Amino acid sequence: GENVEQHPSTLSVQEGDSAVIKCTYSDSASNYFPWYKQELGKRPQLIIDIRSNVGEKKDQRIAVTLNKTAKHFSLHITETQPEDSAVYFCAATKRGADGLTFGKGTHLIIQP
Amino acid sequence: EPEVTQTPSHQVTQMGQEVILRCVPISNHLYFYWYRQILGQKVEFLVSFYNNEISEKSEIFDDQFSVERPDGSNFTLKIRSTKLEDSAMYFCASRGALAGTYNEQFFGPGTRLTVL
């Protein structure tokens, strides 16, 4: 089955700086890669996703890049703000297999 | 904006007891899921459900677990005989169907299950 590795487990950045979180996946058939943000005690919420026919997607301060050959994808957050502090999970799945396989999460801390 | 809802928010039970966790997916969604998250760990897929049957299940989803859509709105997860290691947050999720592509799974707020 699919295995998703996520790094780093904790990331501390100064407010206003950029943050990058990286994930690798094992199943070359995976074709959908969402990123979820989870605040303490809350539900995971989708912040951005990318499909395998696209190399990059951007939504305001958030972007995701996908390298299918290397089987890795990354989340980029620019101009970080205190409200960006949360745990971020990457995930992967493929059509015909519904369940999302999640990475272990990155605790992003924005230092004022 | 429509949301997935779950009840109860917190369930405490004794080891060996049966529990039923309830979810109301978003009304026009067709795919339903259960995930669990042990405290401080990643979210783990349990089972997916479509067209009134299980479409996929993980190794975690053994004979102690079952799912049901008893009516047009509810989606339930039953754990037949709870174990200490079943203590976790259980999330329900649902998604709509967009032909030819994959789209967002919306998560509920979760039920925290504590097995004593």
Side-chain angles (χ1 to χ4, degrees):
Chain A
E2 176 66 280
N3 182 49
V4 177
E5 299 286 338
Q6 182 172 349
H7 299 279
S9 55
T10 304
L11 178 60
S12 181
V13 301
Q14 292 291 322
E15 183 178 349
D17 287 351
S18 295
V20 180
I21 302 170
K22 299 183 179 182
C23 289
T24 60
Y25 61 98
S26 61
D27 190 341
S28 56
S30 287
N31 57 7
Y32 174 70
F33 308 93
W35 285 88
Y36 283 84
K37 176 183 180 182
Q38 187 178 32
E39 297 175 11
L40 190 63
K42 301 279 184 70
R43 74 187 80 191
Q45 292 198 297
L46 183 77
I47 54 170
I48 196 166
D49 57 11
I50 192 167
R51 293 173 177 80
S52 60
N53 58 348
V54 175
E56 184 174 357
K57 183 177 177 180
K58 191 172 181 181
D59 182 4
Q60 298 183 334
R61 297 187 297 109
I62 295 172
V64 56
T65 58
L66 171 65
N67 183 327
K68 284 172 53 180
T69 303
K71 290 189 283 190
H72 68 70
F73 56 113
S74 300
L75 177 71
H76 305 252
I77 306 174
T78 58
E79 300 171 16
T80 52
Q81 299 168 4
E83 54 265 35
D84 295 330
S85 294
V87 179
Y88 291 80
F89 292 95
C90 62
T93 193
K94 59 189 177 185
R95 190 178 307 148
D98 270 346
L100 293 171
T101 300
F102 282 85
K104 289 188 175 181
T106 295
H107 186 193
L108 177 62
I109 301 165
I110 307 301
Q111 303 277 7
Chain B
E1 186 177 334
E3 288 187 331
V4 177
T5 60
Q6 290 184 242
T7 54
S9 57
H10 192 190
Q11 174 91 47
V12 181
T13 190
Q14 295 291 325
M15 190 169 55
Q17 294 297 304
E18 174 184 287
V19 294
I20 298 175
L21 310 183
R22 303 180 192 279
C23 169
V24 178
I26 294 173
S27 63
N28 61 346
H29 283 186
L30 300 177
Y31 297 84
F32 314 114
Y33 308 84
W34 284 101
Y35 293 85
R36 79 172 185 190
Q37 186 177 32
I38 295 170
L39 189 63
Q41 298 187 23
K42 67 177 176 178
V43 178
E44 299 175 290
F45 169 70
L46 294 178
V47 65
S48 60
F49 192 86
Y50 171 72
N51 200 26
N52 284 318
E53 61 182 24
I54 291 173
S55 54
E56 186 190 12
K57 59 183 181 179
S58 73
E59 293 175 353
I60 303 168
F61 194 87
D62 61 23
D63 292 344
Q64 292 299 313
F65 292 89
S66 62
V67 289
E68 194 176 37
R69 188 155 163 83
D71 53 42
S73 58
N74 290 284
F75 179 52
T76 62
L77 174 70
K78 181 193 290 186
I79 308 175
R80 233 178 301 280
S81 177
T82 50
K83 303 187 285 281
L84 295 175
E85 54 264 38
D86 293 328
S87 294
M89 180 73 90
Y90 288 80
F91 291 104
C92 173
S94 71
R95 73 175 174 98
L98 194 60
T101 188
Y102 196 94
N103 49 304
E104 179 182 357
Q105 291 186 24
F106 290 83
F107 282 74
T111 292
R112 179 163 297 286
L113 177 63
T114 302
V115 182
L116 302 176

